[in-house]
Amino acid sequence: MRRLLARRMKFHLFGAFFVSVGCAALYKFGIAEPRKRAYAEFYKNYDPMKDFEAMKATGVFECAPPK
């Protein structure tokens, strides 16, 4: 029973490290990268003035009343 805690702790530390690295990699490649690509694709063709005019026409802004 000697050094039981030390052996188990070493095993669990390595296991926790590899699980956390795996979760971080899954998040990066499963969520963060597709999200970055989606934002880049959206802003590639985004026209802020056209969007502003559309919001102005619907009455979203109080400072710029619709015509």
Side-chain angles (χ1 to χ4, degrees), residues 30-48:
I31 295 172
E33 291 298 324
R35 187 177 290 174
K36 281 197 269 187
R37 282 194 301 271
Y39 274 105
E41 183 65 32
F42 174 77
Y43 283 110
K44 190 184 304 181
N45 301 319
Y46 180 66
D47 184 15

Side-chain angles (χ1 to χ4, degrees), residues 20-37:
S20 64
V21 168
C23 288
L26 284 173
Y27 180 82
K28 178 176 174 46
F29 295 114
I31 295 172
E33 291 298 324
R35 187 177 290 174
K36 281 197 269 187
R37 282 194 301 271

Side-chain angles (χ1 to χ4, degrees), residues 6-20:
R7 279 187 299 180
R8 300 293 292 175
M9 183 75 74
K10 191 182 298 184
F11 172 76
H12 285 110
L13 282 175
F14 285 127
F17 175 75
F18 288 121
V19 167
S20 64

Side-chain angles (χ1 to χ4, degrees), residues 5 21 48 63:
L5 178 63
V21 168
C63 63

